[in-house]
Amino acid sequence: MEYLVSMTTRVPDGTPEQVAADTVAAEGRRVTELAGQGDLTRVWRLPDGRTLGLYRAADAAGLAAILHTLPLYPWMSIEITPLSPHPSDPGISRP
């Protein structure tokens, strides 16, 4: 199943600059790993600063497990939208 995940990240006040930088760098490495595993297929930055990610997981629990591995997860507000195939999707192969 696919999920559109909207993430807003806020570094807590008082977080040392180096800790924030190291956490952001670790996030980049983890995103690359998730993409390599096929768990994350796309990621976008919105004009308002939010990040959108298109994730694949067997179910909501699987998605939660994936999201919990993100180093920035403790600093994120997340909205999840489960996506279902549409019969008119041009990306679907038809006989």
Side-chain angles (χ1 to χ4, degrees):
M1 184 158 186
E2 291 182 308
Y3 298 87
L4 187 63
V5 180
S6 172
M7 299 165 272
T8 302
T9 303
R10 295 205 191 327
V11 178
D13 291 340
T15 302
E17 205 170 301
Q18 190 59 53
V19 170
D22 291 347
T23 306
V24 168
E27 181 84 2
R29 291 189 297 273
R30 183 63 184 137
V31 165
T32 299
E33 292 169 359
L34 291 171
Q37 296 166 1
D39 296 324
L40 176 61
T41 59
R42 297 291 307 266
V43 66
W44 298 269
R45 171 76 63 189
L46 296 178
D48 64 6
R50 286 181 298 145
T51 298
L52 289 180
L54 182 59
Y55 286 82
R56 289 188 176 151
D59 53 29
L63 176 64
I66 290 167
L67 295 176
H68 279 84
T69 70
L70 294 171
L72 290 172
Y73 180 81
W75 300 345
M76 290 179 174
S77 297
I78 297 175
E79 293 179 31
I80 298 169
T81 304
L83 303 173
S84 300
H86 190 282
S88 298
D89 183 350
I92 295 175
S93 297
R94 293 184 176 80

